[in-house]
Amino acid sequence: MKHRIRRIGVLKAAIIGGIAYAIMSLVVVPVFLLMIFVSGPMMNDMGGPERMIGPAFMLLAPLIYGVLGFIGTAIAALVYNVIAMMVGGLEIELERLDAAFPPPSTVT
């Protein structure tokens, strides 16, 4: 059974993209924070206020990633919609898994 994706809802796609990017940044941020704290003493850092710029930025990273993911996904959905109007959209083939077991008849 073939279906065609003719249009993507821009706002819904952007919300999902923004949330996904924010969540993905939560995986990356601890790694970067660890690298910042480990690399400071190796570079003979005296521990001044400039050392806190990196961690402060990393704490804002999920918000920044989320906003940029929202904007990027919205742009991608808009571009898809324009292209889909010209070429007809993506075709996908779906298979119904419960087709082998039709619902019981209700004959009385």
Side-chain angles (χ1 to χ4, degrees):
M1 155 182 358
K2 285 189 179 180
H3 292 279
R4 181 170 297 169
I5 302 173
R6 291 181 35 200
R7 185 178 176 286
I8 295 176
V10 175
L11 182 60
K12 287 291 188 177
I15 290 170
I16 290 171
I19 292 170
Y21 274 88
I23 291 171
M24 287 187 291
S25 75
L26 294 175
V27 173
V28 175
V29 166
V31 175
F32 282 116
L33 281 174
L34 181 64
M35 289 190 310
I36 288 170
F37 286 123
V38 169
S39 67
M42 288 193 273
M43 298 175 66
N44 294 327
D45 185 11
M46 299 305 285
E50 65 276 356
R51 183 172 181 202
M52 291 310 293
I53 293 173
F57 176 76
M58 286 293 127
L59 293 176
L60 291 175
L63 177 65
I64 294 168
Y65 272 81
V67 169
L68 292 177
F70 179 90
I71 293 168
T73 305
I75 292 169
L78 283 169
V79 169
Y80 175 84
N81 289 339
V82 169
I83 294 171
M85 283 191 306
M86 293 186 283
V87 299
L90 269 175
E91 287 186 5
I92 60 172
E93 189 170 327
L94 302 175
E95 176 183 3
R96 187 176 181 129
L97 296 178
D98 61 349
F101 304 103
S105 64
T106 57
V107 177
T108 57

